[in-house]
Amino acid sequence: EDKVVQSPLSLVVHEGDTVTLNCSYEVTNFRSLLWYKQEKKAPTFLFMLTSSGIEKKSGRLSSILDKKELFSILNITATQTGDSAVYLCATSGTNAGKSTFGDGTTLTVKP
Amino acid sequence: DGGITQSPKYLFRKEGQNVTLSCEQNLNHDAMYWYRQDPGQGLRLIYYSQIVNDFQKGDIAEGYSVSREKKESFPLTVTSAQKNPTAFYLCASSIDLEYNEQFFGPGTRLTVL
């Protein structure tokens, strides 16, 4: 059974801090790992990672995948209160339609 | 505007009643999905569909049913057989099953009294 574990479960920081969110996985025939941000309701897509060692960046957010050690990290630099959300990590494997989600990391950024 | 709509936003039902949640997309996506989210947890896959008139069970399909008669629509029925139906339900779509980036609707919060 595929498994995704995120850590920490929750994190409280102050504006301007840098945070690192972790996602480890066990997936049969790994295809991809995705990061989503969930603020109130609908998760929104952040990154899709398929290759090891290639950093994906979008503004203050970046992510990288290590397929040997089976984990990914999501970095957020110079955090803002608008970054407060639940960050979800998901993987897909043998069956392309079946993504496995972690329980998420709840990030709270205080002014 | 392209996107996914779900209705209703909030739904209350008495125990023992079946209830159908609506999901419509105008993104021209082939694949659609239903997830359940409980407090403090990630998303768990209920059903997914690759094309019209075809759908597959996810990890927690018991007590749920779906149909895919049109490309744009993927309604979910929560039956009385679902033992703990109170949850937040999210519908999503993607270009196809191979392209994993999913676009999510705003969700329906179902409360069974």
Side-chain angles (χ1 to χ4, degrees):
Chain A
E1 187 179 322
D2 295 345
K3 191 175 174 185
V4 175
V5 178
Q6 292 186 245
S7 64
L9 288 180
S10 65
L11 192 54
V12 180
V13 300
H14 287 93
E15 272 191 318
D17 288 348
T18 293
V19 297
T20 298
L21 310 183
N22 303 297
C23 176
S24 64
Y25 62 90
E26 294 173 22
V27 177
T28 303
N29 295 328
F30 175 87
R31 285 170 175 258
S32 63
L33 184 144
L34 294 93
W35 285 97
Y36 291 89
K37 178 182 181 182
Q38 185 177 26
E39 292 181 77
K40 290 285 184 185
K41 294 175 181 177
T44 53
F45 171 80
L46 293 174
F47 298 111
M48 181 166 72
L49 303 156
T50 56
S51 302
S52 262
I54 299 174
E55 186 183 48
K56 295 245 177 148
K57 285 199 76 167
S58 176
R60 296 176 293 104
L61 278 68
S62 63
S63 183
I64 198 160
L65 175 68
D66 186 328
K67 288 168 77 172
K68 184 179 174 188
E69 300 298 330
L70 307 182
F71 78 88
S72 174
I73 59 171
L74 175 68
N75 277 322
I76 308 175
T77 60
T79 52
Q80 301 170 358
T81 54
D83 295 326
S84 296
V86 175
Y87 290 84
L88 295 166
C89 173
T91 61
S92 71
T94 301
N95 190 330
K98 293 183 74 173
S99 293
T100 300
F101 281 78
D103 287 342
T105 292
T106 300
L107 174 65
T108 302
V109 181
K110 293 190 170 182
Chain B
D1 277 326
I4 302 181
T5 56
Q6 290 185 243
S7 61
K9 204 172 180 179
Y10 299 96
L11 191 54
F12 296 88
R13 278 295 180 269
K14 289 184 180 179
E15 203 171 316
Q17 289 181 332
N18 290 356
V19 61
T20 297
L21 281 58
S22 166
C23 176
E24 305 275 333
Q25 54 99 359
N26 61 5
L27 299 167
N28 200 33
H29 285 173
D30 282 329
M32 296 187 75
Y33 314 80
W34 273 105
Y35 293 94
R36 170 184 172 136
Q37 188 175 34
D38 293 286
Q41 294 188 30
L43 281 60
R44 290 185 290 167
L45 183 65
I46 304 172
Y47 268 98
Y48 63 101
S49 167
Q50 187 172 1
I51 55 171
V52 173
N53 292 324
D54 180 69
F55 46 83
Q56 306 294 328
K57 290 183 179 179
D59 299 316
I60 56 165
E62 188 176 345
Y64 299 98
S65 66
V66 293
S67 63
R68 186 90 187 272
E69 296 175 4
K70 296 186 299 182
K71 186 175 183 176
E72 305 78 31
S73 178
F74 192 39
L76 173 75
T77 297
V78 185
T79 75
S80 56
Q82 168 50 232
K83 292 177 184 173
N84 186 17
T86 294
F88 185 54
Y89 290 88
L90 282 161
C91 178
S93 71
S94 63
I95 293 173
D96 55 39
L97 287 188
E98 297 295 322
Y99 191 79
N100 301 116
E101 179 188 344
Q102 295 180 21
F103 294 80
F104 286 83
T108 292
R109 189 165 299 280
L110 172 65
T111 302
V112 175
L113 306 170

